[in-house]
């Protein structure tokens, strides 16, 4: 280790000591060493500027490295918010369309006459007109005789078979008989193609009882025993 001896006047020593205290140095020798080593061959202004630029660049890089992850996260959040906003707009538009559609599909109530508004009870003939056929075996009646007598009195037709009575609407029955004459096949499956559901049910019922038969001479179905 080398030693440098510097001679100073009392005033110079006192001034240097005060500078050392201001800079926070406890030992005057440490401050003198700092002063000696802080200068180099380059002009002071150039060294200071070079160091400052380097420090600034380092700080900028560190700050950028710290900010980059947050910037990416912010961009990701913006993208997700935009997607959610788009979906919300789409749902809102869909709800509006469904609401408008529901409004157009709602039909206004049709008010009938006073009897209908009070809860009109259908008559036996109205029920027979709607169904076409009523089978005694499928209904529960306290007085079945009175029921079928009333139908006959009011213009309905009653078929009396060995097993049960069958009430038939006159118009339904006329169409049924006419269709039978137009069916020229004895095959039940093929015959079903010419009849609706209610007509085919009556066809099977009467056929099982032997009331309906296929006439091979006329190639058509006929009714007997009624």
């Amino acid at each position: 280790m080398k030693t440098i001896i510097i001679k100073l006047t009392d005033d110079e020593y006192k001034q240097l000591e005060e500078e050392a205290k201001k800079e926070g140095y406890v030992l005057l020798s440490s401050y003198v060493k700092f002063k000696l080593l802080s200068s180099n061959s380059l002009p002071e202004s150039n060294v200071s500027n070079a160091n400052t630029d380097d420090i600034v660049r380092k700080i900028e890089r560190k700050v950028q490295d710290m900010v980059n992850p947050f910037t990416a996260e912010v961009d990701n959040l913006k993208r997700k918010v935009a997607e959610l906003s788009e979906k919300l707009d789409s749902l809102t538009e869909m709800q509006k369309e469904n609401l408008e559609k529901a409004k157009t599909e709602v039909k206004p109530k049709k008010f009938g006459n006073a009897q209908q508004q009070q809860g009109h009870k259908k008559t036996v003939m109205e029920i027979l007109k709607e169904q076409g056929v009523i089978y005694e075996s499928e209904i529960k009646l306290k007085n079945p005789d009175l029921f079928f007598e009333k139908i006959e009195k009011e213009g309905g037709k009653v078929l009396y078979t060995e097993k049960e009575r069958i009430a038939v609407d006159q118009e339904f029955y006329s169409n049924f008989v006419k269709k039978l004459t137009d069916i020229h096949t004895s095959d039940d499956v093929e015959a079903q193609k010419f009849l609706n559901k209610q007509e085919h049910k009556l066809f099977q019922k009467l056929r099982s009882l032997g009331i309906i038969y296929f006439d091979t001479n006329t190639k058509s179905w006929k009714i007997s025993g009624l």
Side-chain angles (χ1 to χ4, degrees):
M1 181 177 292
K2 305 294 183 180
T3 302
I4 297 176
I5 298 174
I6 301 174
K7 291 183 179 182
L8 301 173
T9 64
D10 291 340
D11 292 335
E12 290 174 343
Y13 184 90
K14 187 176 181 181
Q15 182 181 351
L16 191 61
E17 191 176 42
E18 288 176 355
E19 289 179 5
K21 288 180 180 180
K22 288 180 180 180
E23 293 296 328
Y25 286 87
V26 178
L27 299 176
L28 181 59
S29 58
S30 297
Y31 178 66
V32 173
K33 184 178 180 181
F34 164 76
K35 292 285 286 183
L36 291 172
L37 296 177
S38 62
S39 60
N40 50 38
S41 59
L42 294 173
E44 184 177 350
S45 59
N46 291 340
V47 173
S48 177
N49 290 336
N51 291 338
T52 301
D53 292 341
D54 185 52
I55 292 171
V56 169
R57 283 194 295 273
K58 288 181 179 180
I59 292 174
E60 287 178 348
R61 282 197 298 270
K62 287 185 178 180
V63 170
Q64 191 64 38
D65 292 340
M66 294 173 64
V67 170
N68 282 340
F70 293 102
T71 303
E73 190 65 27
V74 169
D75 291 339
N76 188 36
L77 287 174
K78 286 182 179 179
R79 180 180 58 80
K80 289 183 178 180
V81 169
E83 291 176 356
L84 288 174
S85 179
E86 185 177 350
K87 289 181 180 179
L88 182 61
D89 290 341
S90 178
L91 287 173
T92 302
E93 188 64 27
M94 188 180 298
Q95 287 178 345
K96 287 181 180 179
E97 291 177 359
N98 291 337
L99 183 60
E100 291 299 323
K101 184 179 179 181
K103 286 180 179 179
T104 57
E105 291 178 351
V106 173
K107 296 180 179 179
K109 272 190 175 180
K110 292 183 178 180
F111 296 96
N113 55 37
Q115 189 179 19
Q116 289 176 329
Q117 291 181 29
Q118 294 172 1
H120 169 60
K121 187 176 181 180
K122 293 180 180 179
T123 65
V124 174
M125 295 306 294
E126 287 175 338
I127 295 173
L128 181 60
K129 185 73 174 178
E130 290 179 358
Q131 297 184 3
V133 186
I134 296 177
Y135 299 92
E136 184 177 3
S137 60
E138 295 180 357
I139 57 175
K140 293 181 179 180
L141 299 169
K142 292 182 179 180
N143 192 338
D145 294 335
L146 182 62
F147 175 80
F148 287 101
E149 285 176 9
K150 185 176 181 180
I151 288 178
E152 284 185 312
K153 287 180 180 179
E154 294 185 8
K157 184 175 182 61
V158 177
L159 307 178
Y160 293 88
T161 70
E162 294 179 0
K163 292 186 177 181
E164 63 177 325
R165 285 169 286 191
I166 304 173
V168 187
D169 176 69
Q170 285 286 9
E171 185 178 352
F172 176 90
Y173 186 72
S174 297
N175 291 331
F176 175 72
V177 174
K178 183 179 183 302
K179 285 185 177 181
L180 288 180
T181 60
D182 294 333
I183 300 174
H184 303 294
T185 175
S186 60
D187 184 78
D188 180 67
V189 176
E190 288 296 318
Q192 184 179 355
K193 296 178 180 179
F194 297 87
L195 306 170
N196 60 35
K197 185 177 180 181
Q198 292 90 340
E199 291 169 343
H200 185 252
K201 182 177 180 180
L202 180 61
F203 175 85
Q204 289 182 312
K205 178 78 71 171
L206 297 180
R207 186 185 181 189
S208 65
L209 295 171
I211 297 173
I212 289 180
Y213 69 97
F214 185 76
D215 189 335
T216 55
N217 294 323
T218 61
K219 301 293 182 181
S220 63
W221 291 87
K222 294 186 176 181
I223 300 177
S224 67
L226 294 178

